[in-house]
Amino acid sequence: MSDAECHARIRAARGRLGSKAVLLCHHYQRADVYQYADLTGDSLKLARLAAATDAEYIVFCGVHFMAEVADILSGPGQTAILPDLAAGCSMADMANLARVERCWRELGEVLNAEERVTPVTYINSAADLKAFCGRHGGITCTSSNARAITEWAFGQREKILFFPDQHLGRWTGHGMGIPFDEMPVWDADLECGGLAPEQIRKARLLLWKGHCSVHQMFQPAHIEKFRAEHPEGLVISHPECCFEVCARSDHVGSTERIVQVIKEAPPNTRWLVGTELNLVNRLAQDVKGEGKIVQFMSPIVCMCSTMQRIDPPHLAWTLENLADGCVVNRIAVPEHEAEPARLTLERMLAVS
Ligand code: 13P
Ligand code: SF4
């Protein structure tokens, strides 16, 4: 199938579906898919949109955990669909239920975890981890509400177990004035996370040893080079970047926030952006008419390879099947997981 034929088939199937389907697209989606988005956003905005839509089919152009959230927050007559089931998130895979439950048991050997620790999962996690948080008085957060959610979590209990992104947790904790020695890293490959009992007792924020393979590519040296060449330039990064990158940035925010800050910036400004390449390329095009220059932070191409899997052929196949009344690639979270996971998402929406 040629590209032209593929796009003609997407348009025809989309037309046949009409308002029965809504296409939700994350900012990292490739341009040849993003053009079909009905609605776009960061994880928090997309969760709200999924909860608000009344479309029968929610076609999620994003990654697996986002489609799970759409399924959990949508109504009983609605179906969430991920055009390619291989579109996962490598960071989400860095924590799993068996390891988090083991961590909880090991914490329980040192202190009363149920009474003293609130589990907080980044939305980049499987539904069973959100369910774990729901069962243990915890909550879900995203990159745009991590501070408010962390404050809520400390309002419940004195300590937090934050998974799976150590960088978002560390940046958020630092912003709240928590010293580094009270934010130790829990390495699930080691017994008791590799921590001594006194480190656990002293900890306020236990950071799971997980990270994003895309955002780890951005380094302080990239910012230093940019600042030397363009002293007037501004730097904006996603909080999945390491602490040293966030600390050297002028702004740190979610994908939606990055888009908003640069779109609202004065004309003729120059920006270095530490987040995924599809977003940066699109933004650079969108604002170049105002004389704004938007540069990608890394000299090495780093895209989210799992987001990339949602491509025009998968979209055409999905939409044609739906238009013919055949549901493919449905993401359905079993109710015993969906119920406690929904609790953490509803708490999150209420707090943010
Ligand atoms: P946002 O919620 O900021 O869109 O982040 C999602 C994500 O996976 C970034 O890597
Ligand atoms: Fe996951 Fe990183 Fe891709 Fe975001 S950019 S979806 S955190 S792998």
Side-chain angles (χ1 to χ4, degrees):
M1 180 166 55
S2 68
D3 284 355
E5 188 192 341
C6 185
H7 285 285
R9 285 173 64 169
I10 291 173
R11 280 191 291 273
R14 182 72 194 93
R16 283 202 284 146
L17 280 163
S19 59
K20 277 177 88 166
V22 65
L23 265 76
L24 300 187
C25 254
H26 187 262
H27 290 300
Y28 293 165
Q29 286 294 294
R30 40 197 290 166
D32 52 10
V33 166
Y34 195 87
Q35 62 180 321
Y36 296 110
D38 295 311
L39 299 162
T40 64
D42 62 8
S43 308
L44 179 63
K45 188 172 162 194
L46 290 169
R48 287 193 197 283
L49 290 167
T53 182
D54 54 10
E56 187 178 339
Y57 301 128
I58 303 170
V59 180
F60 218 111
C61 298
V63 287
H64 193 270
F65 73 81
M66 297 179 182
E68 281 187 334
V69 169
D71 176 57
I72 294 167
L73 292 178
S74 58
Q78 294 176 290
T79 304
I81 290 138
L82 184 67
D84 184 347
L85 295 179
C89 163
S90 55
M91 176 208 280
D93 294 342
M94 289 182 191
N96 64 40
L97 187 58
R99 287 177 154 233
V100 170
E101 281 182 337
R102 182 162 67 101
C103 164
W104 199 250
R105 275 196 308 276
E106 289 177 338
L107 286 177
E109 287 163 16
V110 178
L111 41 79
N112 186 339
E114 285 307 327
E115 277 184 13
R116 297 180 62 191
V117 186
T118 307
V120 177
T121 185
Y122 188 23
I123 197 166
N124 296 39
S125 58
D128 58 1
L129 289 182
K130 295 183 179 81
F132 173 91
C133 290
R135 287 194 299 271
H136 295 279
I139 194 163
T140 299
C141 77
T142 77
S143 61
S144 53
N145 60 20
R147 171 71 185 252
I149 299 294
T150 305
E151 281 169 1
W152 178 91
F154 277 130
Q156 308 303 304
R157 298 181 197 93
E158 77 210 60
K159 296 178 193 290
I160 290 177
L161 171 64
F162 190 99
F163 46 86
D165 186 17
Q166 59 171 302
H167 298 302
L168 176 64
R170 188 177 292 109
W171 181 246
T172 308
H174 171 76
M176 296 172 78
I178 303 175
F180 289 122
D181 64 348
E182 293 179 17
M183 296 192 283
V185 172
W186 183 276
D187 183 347
D189 282 337
L190 303 175
E191 198 181 329
C192 215
L195 299 177
E198 54 276 20
Q199 284 177 291
I200 295 173
R201 281 190 213 102
K202 189 177 178 194
R204 292 192 60 207
L205 191 45
L206 286 150
L207 303 172
W208 192 265
K209 193 179 176 195
H211 65 270
C212 166
S213 49
V214 178
H215 289 83
Q216 70 163 351
M217 303 296 284
F218 305 119
Q219 296 299 320
H222 302 147
I223 299 180
E224 278 148 22
K225 183 167 181 289
F226 174 80
R227 295 229 189 259
E229 288 167 3
H230 308 287
E232 79 299 348
L234 293 157
V235 180
I236 188 163
S237 303
H238 194 278
E240 287 173 14
C241 294
C242 68
F243 177 81
E244 293 73 18
V245 165
C246 292
R248 284 167 177 77
S249 300
D250 299 295
H251 303 266
V252 177
S254 77
T255 56
E256 184 78 11
R257 180 88 185 126
I258 291 172
V259 171
Q260 183 198 5
V261 167
I262 296 185
K263 286 198 169 165
E264 290 176 0
N268 305 315
T269 41
R270 181 186 283 269
W271 291 87
L272 186 72
V273 184
T275 200
E276 205 265 352
L277 186 59
N278 280 300
L279 181 157
V280 179
N281 283 343
R282 181 177 311 115
L283 193 52
Q285 284 302 315
D286 288 351
V287 299
K288 79 171 181 204
E290 296 166 64
K292 294 180 205 171
I293 298 171
V294 174
Q295 276 176 239
F296 187 56
M297 193 177 284
S298 170
I300 301 162
V301 172
C302 41
M303 293 171 128
C304 179
S305 56
T306 46
M307 287 268 182
Q308 283 287 112
R309 301 197 70 117
I310 311 291
D311 58 8
H314 282 92
L315 188 59
W317 173 76
T318 303
L319 296 180
E320 285 185 349
N321 271 289
L322 290 179
D324 292 341
C326 171
V327 173
V328 289
N329 286 8
R330 177 170 189 192
I331 302 299
V333 178
E335 195 47 34
H336 71 276
E337 277 174 15
E339 195 191 318
R342 191 176 298 116
L343 188 69
T344 71
L345 290 163
E346 285 172 354
R347 271 183 195 143
M348 173 189 84
L349 294 175
V351 172
S352 53

